[in-house]
Amino acid sequence: MGCHRPFGAREIPNPGSRWGTVPRFASGNAMMYAKDRGQIEELVRFGAPVAWLEDPRASERLAGQRVRMPAYGEALSEREIADLTAFACAVEGVEPAGGEAAAAGRELARRQGCHSCHGPEGSGGMPNPGSLGGFVPGFLGGNFSDLVRDEAEFREWVLDGTSRRLAANPLVRTFWRRQLLSMPAYRGELTGEELTQLWAWVEATRASSPE
Ligand code: HEC
């Protein structure tokens, strides 16, 4: 993350490289470097897609640029490489998970601005000073099931901006009062079908990302 600046930040210049900067995550620009999941994995493992390494002109350019993507193949386990590949694909929208309903949900989430707080593909969000974890929670990983047990609770969060189950806990309520960002209530703005699509997107994203 020292090189790939966080969501929304300016990119670090990288003279000599193809596009002149170290690409930022979640800007959709992975598509300029990798055309599919396989090439993203090669980027993690070898520091560049194999097709580039085998192409003399591309290798020459790589050799001349100021900063090069390190090859993590030796340093990481297969499991870690798989996790990182899944993360990069999720935030970059490469081969997005799920069927039609999930795609509609993803598009809706983008229009409604869910990503601006929860991070791209719900991968984890904006800093949230005063909150329990310090960040707006994402939808991936184990914590999600503590906050959202099922579709009914998901709908409650989205419609009312809260969870009755968690609101019963005084400690949780204290954090909610203090934290900078709160979950907005979308009641009246989303139809039942749209809620189903959002849930399909969340489930597909979770299924595609190793816990
Ligand atoms: C202004 C920032 C903001 C926006 C925009 C936003 N949320 Fe949230 N969301 C939050 C915060 C803050 C919480 C509360 C987490 C906590 O308890 O601290 C939350 C909680 C949630 C939760 C339950 C906790 C979890 O696992 O993340 C879900 C599900 C959720 N939001 C879905 C959505 C969806 C879907 C959208 C778009 C329709 C959306 N949010 C838009 C800030 C936001």
Side-chain angles (χ1 to χ4, degrees), residues 85-121:
T85 303
F87 169 76
C89 287
V91 299
E92 290 295 342
V94 170
E95 295 184 23
E100 247 172 63
R106 179 177 294 111
E107 183 47 39
L108 184 61
R110 189 167 300 133
R111 282 206 309 274
Q112 291 287 348
C114 313
H115 301 90
S116 61
C117 286
H118 290 281
E121 280 295 87

Side-chain angles (χ1 to χ4, degrees), residues 113-114 117-118 137-139 144 147 154 157 176 179 181 183-184 186:
C114 313
C117 286
H118 290 281
F139 306 145
F144 182 80
L147 297 169
F154 175 79
W157 271 109
W176 280 350
Q179 67 199 34
L181 296 172
M183 173 66 190
Y186 290 87

Side-chain angles (χ1 to χ4, degrees), residues 49-125:
V50 171
W52 288 20
L53 296 172
E54 285 173 350
D55 170 358
R57 276 187 50 208
S59 326
E60 201 182 311
R61 187 186 64 237
L62 284 172
Q65 66 193 40
R66 187 193 288 163
V67 189
R68 260 191 91 158
M69 165 77 186
Y72 288 100
E74 303 280 301
L76 299 177
S77 69
E78 285 301 308
R79 174 64 201 236
E80 288 167 331
I81 291 176
D83 286 359
L84 285 172
T85 303
F87 169 76
C89 287
V91 299
E92 290 295 342
V94 170
E95 295 184 23
E100 247 172 63
R106 179 177 294 111
E107 183 47 39
L108 184 61
R110 189 167 300 133
R111 282 206 309 274
Q112 291 287 348
C114 313
H115 301 90
S116 61
C117 286
H118 290 281
E121 280 295 87
S123 60

